[in-house]
Each structure stands twice: as C-alpha cells, then as structure tokens.
Amino acid sequence: MRRPLCILAMFLAVVLLACSCELIYEAKDGSPKIERVNILVYGNDYANCTFDGSPLYIPHRRDRRLFGTVNDATQVGLAFEALARESGLESNAHYILGKNHDKKGEGFLYEIQNAIETPDKDTTMAHFREVLSQIADTSTEKDLTVVFVSCHGFYDASVGTKAEYGKAEGTYFVTSANTGDECELYSHRDFLEDVSKIKGIKLILADVCHSGGIVRPGYVSVDKSEYKDARAAQLFFENDKIDIDASLFCLSASRYYEESYEYRDPGKADHRTHGCFTMALLEALGWNGERFAGKPKAARNGRLTFQNLASYVTENDGYDDQTPMYSGGGNDVILFSF
C-alpha cells in the first residue's frame, strides 16, 4: 500500500509545484508578454478640502491635509516611466494630482522633485473612474497597467479586525467630491470592479490607510488571526466563494484595519515628503527622486517581478504599525526586463 500512496503524493507535489511556478510569459525563452505600459497615479493632498458635513472624517480632523501624497504619486509615476524606457517599452502616463503641486511647495510644507508641469487636477471620484474607464477602452492583452493611489483611506470599524473570510468590506479611498471642497468614498470593491475591465496585466499599488481592502482574501496566505472561520481547505476547495483574477497583482501599505503613515524627517518636525510605503517602493524600483539610479534593488537576474517587488517593499517599509499586504499564491509576473 505504501508504494501507491508515495506515487500519489509525488504526483500531487509535482502538480502543486507546477501551479506555484506559473509565470505569465509570451514565449518559451522567458520574454515577457508586456509590450506597453499604462501608468495612472492619483495623489490627493486635500489642500482645499474642508471635510465638512460628514462624521466619517473625524479620524483625520487633526491632520486633514496629507503632505506627501502628491510627491508620492509624482515620483512613482516618473519611476515607472523610467523603467519602461529602460526596458524598451512604449508607455503613457496620466497624473491626477492635488492642487498644491507646484515645485517650490509655496504655501505648503514640501517641495516636489521633478514636478509635473500640467497635471490633471480633477481629484473627484467620478473623474478617477472615468480615467480608469478610458484606459480599459484602449487597453490590450499585451499591456501592463500600473495604478498607484496615495490619499486618505476610510474603514468601517464595525467590520472588525477579523472579517468573515472572503467578505472584508467597508474599506474605501477618500476622493474629492464634485464641489472640490468636500469628499466622498470610493469603495475598494467598486475600484477593483473598474480595474477588472482593463485588459492585460494590472498592477495596483496603494499608499493609503486601510488599503489592504484592495487585496482580496483569496490572494493572501491566511492564518487564524486574519479572517473569521478561515480554514486551509477553503483556499483549495472553495474558490467559488472568492473572486480571483489571475491578471491582477495588488500591493497595499497596510492591512484593511490598519492606518499607513508618512515619513517624518527627524531634522524637520513636520516635513513629510513621502509615505513610508512609497519610500520603500521607490527604492525597490531604483528611483532616487530625480532619476533612474541603476538596476532596481528588487530586481533579480535582470528582471523585476511582482513577487520580488512585494517582498522588498514589505521588508523595508520601515514602520512597524503598518503591515503591507499583497497578492500571493502561484502567480507571478515579470514586470520589466533589463
């Protein structure tokens, strides 16, 4: 009886190994499928937002403005443009940035390196969704679409820190409302539905409080501290309860019930240039705020993959009170080759 059981065990091991090594390639030589890179960055500093009329924003009442978000989005967008050039790929970038985007930071507490001269200043939810829809309409299966978000986030605390497995709801991006001086909530579920309409590979990065809501439970390694009634068997035999998109790769700054934080320069009491997550991300991408500084630190053997990028950021985000979450399991993708 032992021999058949051993053979069965070996067969299962081979199958699992084959699944775990799945990469998205176009050719047997390992060349990436990607031919074009679409880049959309959203950085909202809430410079003219009153946060009036809603109790939802009480947690941010002492610090309604965010000082590093515009710089976050600017530098991440420039970094991915540089990576596309280094890889010989066509790219196009769209910058949705808060109103205080000037290079000198006049009237604000930071200076933006390589400021974008004419950014899109419409930070409303409707416009954000409109731009995602435009990308979806023009995208192809050979595209990599990078969406980076840096803004306030909101979490419905009634969900608790152990949501029912597969049903972590109540997490949102806080976008501007139509009036420009108030805000509205863009649910992570709606956001992911909008992103799902984009063809090709989607890479979603969020330096936002409670941003773990963009990482669906089916993508992560689950333990008992993460979700209610989570069992290992669910990951393998109950996938019908989880919406899994093999072309979607997400990396968030924090768990869905955690806040994320901006880096504070020890020499300047209130000079915040980036989120802690974004600082690690830019370092991983090989961008120093002014130029591409050589091979990305997260690259291995001339390739930057999602899993290597996520591993580097989670190990180097430098803030213990936030825990990055990212897509896991068998899928990985080569984002750039050098």
Side-chain angles (χ1 to χ4, degrees), residues 204-258:
I204 310 302
L205 306 159
D207 196 345
V208 181
C209 290
H210 315 298
S211 50
I214 66 171
V215 182
R216 298 290 87 184
Y219 288 99
V220 299
S221 298
V222 176
D223 59 35
K224 291 182 179 179
S225 66
E226 190 65 42
Y227 296 101
K228 293 178 181 177
D229 302 321
R231 299 183 303 276
Q234 290 176 301
L235 295 175
F236 299 98
F237 305 116
E238 298 183 18
N239 286 335
D240 58 313
K241 297 181 180 179
I242 304 169
D243 183 15
I244 294 178
D245 180 354
S247 69
L248 177 65
F249 298 84
C250 298
L251 174 59
S252 70
S254 62
R255 295 182 184 273
Y256 60 87
Y257 53 85
E258 292 177 340

Side-chain angles (χ1 to χ4, degrees), residues 124-156:
T124 62
M125 180 178 70
H127 184 62
F128 192 179
R129 300 186 75 172
E130 178 186 18
V131 176
L132 286 171
S133 178
Q134 291 169 354
I135 293 174
D137 289 342
T138 59
S139 62
T140 74
E141 294 297 336
K142 295 185 180 294
D143 285 2
L144 164 65
T145 298
V146 180
V147 181
F148 174 82
V149 185
S150 187
C151 61
H152 273 312
F154 178 74
Y155 162 61
D156 181 356

Side-chain angles (χ1 to χ4, degrees), residues 34-40 80-81 83-85 87-93 142-146 201 335-336:
I34 297 162
E35 294 182 356
R36 181 178 64 178
V37 184
N38 306 312
I39 302 161
L40 171 61
F80 276 103
E81 286 195 78
L83 284 168
R85 287 195 300 271
S87 302
L89 299 174
E90 174 190 352
S91 70
N92 55 76
K142 295 185 180 294
D143 285 2
L144 164 65
T145 298
V146 180
I201 303 301
L335 301 171
F336 300 98

Side-chain angles (χ1 to χ4, degrees), residues 13 35 48 71 85 104 115 128 147 150 158 172 175 180 187 210 231 282 285 309 330:
E35 294 182 356
N48 299 305
N71 204 27
R85 287 195 300 271
K104 294 182 179 179
F128 192 179
V147 181
S150 187
S158 66
Y172 306 84
T175 61
S187 76
H210 315 298
R231 299 183 303 276
L282 292 173
L285 296 175
L309 178 65

Side-chain angles (χ1 to χ4, degrees), residues 319-333:
Y319 206 92
D320 292 339
D321 291 337
Q322 64 185 54
T323 309
M325 296 182 71
Y326 61 94
S327 306
N331 274 354
D332 198 3
V333 62

Side-chain angles (χ1 to χ4, degrees), residues 87-128:
S87 302
L89 299 174
E90 174 190 352
S91 70
N92 55 76
H94 192 115
Y95 292 80
I96 302 177
L97 303 176
K99 295 182 179 179
N100 280 312
H101 65 275
D102 56 288
K103 187 170 184 178
K104 294 182 179 179
E106 295 178 3
F108 224 41
L109 298 179
Y110 61 85
E111 178 177 332
I112 301 173
Q113 296 168 290
N114 290 331
I116 304 302
E117 295 297 329
T118 56
D120 181 347
K121 300 179 186 179
D122 188 346
T123 54
T124 62
M125 180 178 70
H127 184 62
F128 192 179

